Amino acid sequence: MSEITMAKALNTALRDALRDDPRTILFGEDIGALGGVFRITDGLAAEFGDERCFDTPLAESAILGTAVGMAMYGYRPVVEMQFDAFAYPAFEQLVSHVAKLRNRTRGAIGLPLTIRIPYGGGIGGVEHHSDSSEIYYMATPGLTVVTPATAADAYSLLRRSIASPDPVVFLEPKRLYWRKEALGLPVDTGPLGSAVIRRHGTHATLIAYGPAVTTALEAAEAAAEHGWDLEVIDLRTLMPLDDATVCASVRRTGRAVVVHEAHGFAGPGAEIAARITERCFYHLEAPVRRVTGFDVPYPPPLLERHYLPGVDRILDAVASLEWEAVPA
């Protein structure tokens, strides 16, 4: 076992998928000889040839449209959208065709394609390079939406996404690309659609995903100084959402805070808070809180530390959970 970055885990997952299944094809802007702007596909074109790992023009709609056709003919395309908001020109393809084809053909035709999207902030980028656009995909029936927070999940969930018979939007948190963890590959961390508890606690549940998981864990450690024992859930898959794991935790703790980088209004936290309220109302000791990005376009680099949810904002939300009502 050695220390591996999330970027290396993703690269290894793609290499193993190419090796194991000749139907797997990678393409996108600069992913060939360059290996991608974040080097996630580094060395794959040299190893597998430019028929299985190749560059495309700067035309995201064409990239995804090509993937639709290839998937219909039996390939398993894995496409890269270079930055989060670069994917917007392809959104029409995604909503009108990728998400609907199985339903439209009464189950006869699925689209086994994976759309990799580096997303989120914390790297000094600006808007269009640091967006958290997951709610658009979560709100589109027919898509599975996945985001890892660890190198192990990056490898395992990407392999499972590529193996899925239906389309998967695979969101890669950019600021976690270079975090290291001791890991031996290959690894299997469980199926799509399953959340995990990263830290057990009794006083409240922090619900996070992708880049916010690290911040939530830091907040949970800091909360211990206040006497709060916080549980941290990593959702891992946003659609379908693992209601069972979330609700079981909230029913134990009686309190919940949802943490994510995306904007708050009509964001992922709004849906999660509503589902918790519907399913756990009689177990709640306080309203569900949200700690999110603000309802503005992603700010310039010097301001992003104010925009992104931090430990202090999470602790402020935890402090507002009516602690005087904690049962003995």
Side-chain angles (χ1 to χ4, degrees):
M1 185 176 296
S2 59
E3 286 201 327
I4 292 177
T5 65
M6 179 180 285
K8 180 63 176 177
L10 292 165
N11 178 271
T12 304
L14 293 171
R15 175 177 282 103
D16 290 351
L18 286 164
R19 183 199 60 216
D20 293 347
D21 189 343
R23 299 173 299 172
T24 303
I25 307 291
L26 315 184
F27 53 99
E29 298 159 6
D30 298 319
I31 75 159
L34 180 65
V37 292
F38 296 105
R39 304 298 187 268
I40 304 303
T41 55
D42 187 36
L44 301 182
E47 184 173 347
F48 294 95
D50 57 10
E51 291 187 349
R52 299 191 64 199
C53 180
F54 56 87
D55 293 331
T56 66
L58 302 178
E60 289 80 7
S61 180
I63 292 171
L64 195 51
T66 302
V68 170
M70 295 181 74
M72 291 177 70
Y73 276 87
Y75 290 97
R76 290 185 175 272
V78 182
V79 301
E80 178 181 302
M81 300 291 162
Q82 198 165 66
F83 284 93
D84 31 64
F86 288 16
Y88 296 157
F91 198 65
E92 192 280 330
Q93 291 278 356
L94 194 67
V95 173
S96 296
H97 304 293
V98 172
K100 291 185 171 65
L101 195 65
R102 182 178 289 283
N103 184 267
R104 184 180 296 154
T105 60
R106 298 182 181 181
I109 301 177
L111 290 180
L113 64 89
T114 303
I115 306 156
R116 295 181 40 244
I117 305 177
Y119 86 113
I123 64 165
V126 295
E127 51 96 11
H128 262 61
H129 295 72
S130 297
D131 290 13
S132 294
S133 46
E134 55 269 29
I135 191 62
Y136 304 141
Y137 310 117
M138 292 171 66
T140 304
L143 300 178
T144 297
V145 184
V146 178
T147 180
T150 67
D153 271 352
Y155 177 90
S156 178
L157 297 179
L158 183 54
R159 290 301 307 271
R160 286 182 174 269
S161 296
I162 296 171
S164 171
D166 289 304
V168 177
V169 176
F170 192 88
L171 299 164
E172 300 171 2
K174 293 192 289 288
R175 68 181 160 112
L176 300 185
Y177 270 153
W178 310 114
R179 285 178 58 91
K180 294 181 178 179
E181 64 185 77
L183 180 64
L185 295 177
V187 64
D188 186 353
T189 62
L192 304 180
S194 63
V196 296
I197 298 174
R198 295 291 180 201
R199 184 186 193 278
H200 291 274
T202 57
H203 288 161
T205 301
L206 303 182
I207 301 155
Y209 58 85
V213 172
T214 299
T215 311
L217 287 168
E218 293 171 355
E221 292 303 314
E225 298 177 6
H226 300 273
W228 302 326
D229 183 20
L230 303 184
E231 187 147 296
V232 177
I233 290 180
D234 176 359
L235 293 176
R236 306 197 317 154
T237 302
L238 301 178
M239 183 65 197
L241 196 70
D242 184 356
D243 288 302
T245 297
V246 171
C247 291
S249 175
V250 174
R251 287 168 183 156
R252 286 195 303 272
T253 65
R255 295 171 173 82
V257 178
V258 187
V259 184
H260 58 67
E261 291 187 10
H263 55 264
F265 182 79
E271 174 64 24
I272 295 167
R275 296 167 80 93
I276 291 171
T277 303
E278 289 170 350
R279 292 163 173 77
C280 308
F281 183 79
Y282 293 106
H283 298 268
L284 288 173
E285 300 288 344
V288 180
R289 301 296 188 188
R290 289 173 287 163
V291 181
T292 72
F294 298 116
D295 296 327
V296 298
Y298 198 85
L302 289 177
L303 297 177
E304 69 177 356
R305 66 187 173 88
H306 300 292
Y307 174 88
L308 296 171
V311 170
D312 289 346
R313 286 174 60 195
I314 296 173
L315 293 181
D316 286 346
V318 172
S320 73
L321 295 175
E322 301 178 15
W323 292 99
E324 66 276 12
V326 174

